[in-house]
Amino acid sequence: MLCRRAIAVMLLTGSWMGTSAQKLLNDTGLYPVYEAMDTSTNAVSVLHLGDSHVQGGFFPDAVRKELQDKFGYAGRGFVFPYNLAGTNGPHDYRWSSFFRWTSDRMVDRNLSESPGPGGIVLKSPQDRQAALLVYHNDSTIGKLKVWYRGKGLPEIRPTENERQDVNESIVYEGNSNLPVQEAIILAGSGMRTLSITFPDISRMYGALEVRDAKGILYSAIGINGAQFQHYNIFEGSVAGEAAIMTKPSLVILSLGTNEAFGAVTPDQLKAEMEKTVVVIREQAPGVQFIFTTPPSGMMKKRQVAYRPKGSKRTKYRTKFTAVPQAAVLRQAIMEFCRENGHACWDLFGDMRNDSRFNRAWSHDHVHFNAYGYQLQGELLGKAILNGYNNWQQNIRKN
């Protein structure tokens, strides 16, 4: 039997289960997901939860592309008017409104109510009429399930570019058993722009763009500064409602960066991870998980004073030092997955072995540039596809 020290060495060096780039660890639990991807005539829903690495969109967009190129496009998934909330978000959907909204995020202090399935909510001071202009940059709009709190169903108004198609759009009430109101909009053929007018609305929680087609429906939800504990607030309302709305077969959890900076201990992290798993499985029985380890860099600034030769002025050089807790929490995540039968993608380990990440950092060395996030997404997407191919070649045929 291996001693604790030997197991720790295996985890840190990446020798557990033969760690290598573009490979999932312990992915036998994903076999039902692989089978659904292979045989289902319906959409297979994937839900990706995370922090700022996910909110910007580049990372999950690259994973989405890898999977949808292979299995088919079943919709864009979760979308939210991040720009109206005054924060960053994916660039494929654009939103505008004629009045200023306020917003709450799950990471804010002193929240009085759940921010909903996206971990963020747009708020108006009272029920009032509001119009949202929605524009999809990359594709046409299919079926849009809009989540809100208000009175009555929204109406579709014509825009200059889509005037000829607006009469083809249909709006009807969605599932009344959801924790928030849902209106389903069937956009006209070829429409890229919608003007949605709500007669009375006080909260806007986002929307789900779906297609009635076989393939992957990939929803990504990320909030700057988020940790596992934030998805567990209000008795797990954020993680639970996200699962209710998207009905995932697979949930990818990319967290740990903010826990490392916040000095969260391994035991605290594992406890919060378990809470998230329990809440999601209560709402989506049979769902499987992939946990990703945090990035290996996670650097922090340190100012070093120096004086160039012959100069009378002191200058400062910025250096970066590793956050030690990143490696500790990486080990905790891998241990949790091994002990509970969850799949794991070791981004921390893969970055050490891939020189391309040397030019992937943004200026703060905490986040990544667009290239870096796209690289991560491609690696994770290929790791999932490699797991699927291995299942198909070596498991399914037997």
Side-chain angles (χ1 to χ4, degrees):
M1 180 176 290
L2 291 173
C3 66
R4 282 181 163 287
R5 183 177 179 84
I7 292 173
V9 170
M10 291 171 67
L11 289 167
L12 286 172
T13 58
S15 59
W16 170 44
M17 298 188 69
T19 303
S20 63
Q22 301 177 19
K23 181 176 181 178
L24 296 177
L25 308 176
N26 198 40
D27 75 334
T28 55
L30 299 184
Y31 288 176
V33 179
Y34 296 152
E35 184 170 5
M37 291 175 173
D38 191 57
T39 63
S40 177
T41 57
N42 300 314
V44 176
S45 178
V46 178
L47 174 61
H48 192 165
L49 303 179
D51 47 31
S52 56
H53 299 308
V54 174
Q55 180 175 324
F58 296 107
F59 173 26
D61 282 352
V63 186
R64 180 187 292 111
K65 185 177 187 305
E66 291 287 335
L67 298 183
Q68 290 183 338
D69 282 353
K70 170 69 175 180
F71 298 107
Y73 183 82
R76 167 61 174 77
F78 179 79
V79 292
F80 184 84
Y82 292 98
N83 61 303
L84 299 183
T87 187
N88 64 306
H91 299 291
D92 56 341
Y93 261 82
R94 290 189 298 163
W95 305 73
S96 63
S97 178
F98 62 82
F99 75 89
R100 186 179 297 275
W101 300 76
T102 61
S103 65
D104 283 341
R105 304 178 304 154
M106 63 184 182
V107 297
D108 295 337
R109 295 184 178 182
N110 303 318
L111 287 177
S112 60
E113 61 184 25
S114 171
I120 185 170
V121 57
L122 287 184
K123 301 168 60 178
S124 64
Q126 58 186 1
D127 285 2
R128 60 184 298 176
Q129 186 181 66
L132 292 174
L133 181 65
V134 187
Y135 179 73
H136 194 344
N137 292 326
D138 298 335
S139 180
T140 57
I141 299 173
K143 181 190 295 182
L144 201 63
K145 298 182 178 182
V146 182
W147 303 320
Y148 65 103
R149 184 192 302 171
K151 300 174 183 176
L153 291 174
E155 299 177 355
I156 303 301
R157 301 286 179 87
T159 63
E160 197 66 34
N161 295 331
E162 308 286 359
R163 192 173 297 273
Q164 71 279 7
D165 287 325
V166 72
N167 292 330
E168 299 177 28
S169 298
I170 301 172
V171 182
Y172 63 92
E173 189 172 2
N175 187 351
S176 59
N177 294 321
L178 296 180
V180 301
Q181 289 169 259
E182 179 182 81
I184 299 178
I185 299 170
L186 301 180
S189 175
M191 291 185 68
R192 302 172 72 96
T193 308
L194 285 175
S195 180
I196 309 171
T197 301
F198 296 85
D200 288 285
I201 184 173
S202 61
R203 302 288 187 272
M204 168 64 178
Y205 297 101
L208 189 74
E209 201 271 344
V210 302
R211 306 296 170 98
D212 294 323
K214 180 183 186 305
I216 302 297
L217 175 64
Y218 196 103
S219 297
I221 294 171
I223 297 295
N224 297 338
Q227 301 179 26
F228 278 101
Q229 65 173 338
H230 296 114
Y231 282 97
N232 297 331
I233 60 172
F234 294 100
E235 298 182 349
S237 66
V238 176
E241 289 181 18
I244 292 173
M245 304 303 199
T246 61
K247 301 179 177 63
S249 297
L250 172 64
V251 172
I252 303 171
L253 290 148
S254 296
L255 294 155
T257 294
N258 296 300
E259 283 90 342
F261 278 101
V264 172
T265 68
D267 287 343
Q268 290 171 333
L269 178 68
K270 289 181 179 181
E272 294 294 340
M273 291 169 69
E274 179 62 22
K275 288 180 185 178
T276 305
V277 168
V278 169
V279 167
I280 291 175
R281 279 202 163 145
E282 285 177 351
Q283 306 302 335
V287 68
Q288 302 299 324
F289 295 88
I290 298 174
F291 288 85
T292 72
T293 60
S296 63
M298 303 228 312
M299 314 294 276
K300 61 182 179 182
K301 293 182 180 180
R302 184 179 62 185
Q303 298 292 331
V304 179
Y306 72 99
R307 181 171 294 176
K309 186 176 181 179
S311 174
K312 295 182 179 181
R313 298 183 60 183
T314 299
K315 294 187 177 182
Y316 294 90
R317 179 184 296 114
T318 300
K319 288 194 174 182
F320 299 91
T321 58
V323 178
Q325 196 68 358
V328 175
L329 296 189
R330 174 223 186 184
Q331 178 178 338
I333 291 172
M334 296 175 74
E335 285 179 349
F336 179 84
C337 292
R338 177 174 54 83
E339 293 164 357
N340 294 278
H342 302 308
C344 178
W345 179 56
D346 185 20
L347 170 61
F348 187 106
D350 282 2
M351 288 182 65
R352 284 180 165 182
N353 302 317
D354 195 331
S355 62
R356 291 176 294 177
F357 280 102
N358 294 335
R359 55 189 176 95
W361 293 106
S362 70
H363 67 281
D364 63 5
H365 280 221
V366 174
H367 300 92
F368 296 84
N369 54 34
Y371 166 79
Y373 282 126
Q374 183 175 351
L375 176 59
Q376 288 180 46
E378 290 174 354
L379 290 175
L380 176 54
K382 286 181 170 59
I384 296 172
L385 292 179
N386 286 343
Y388 164 81
N389 290 333
N390 181 67
W391 166 83
Q392 190 178 55
Q393 294 170 11
N394 301 318
I395 306 299
R396 185 169 187 250
K397 68 181 181 181
N398 295 327

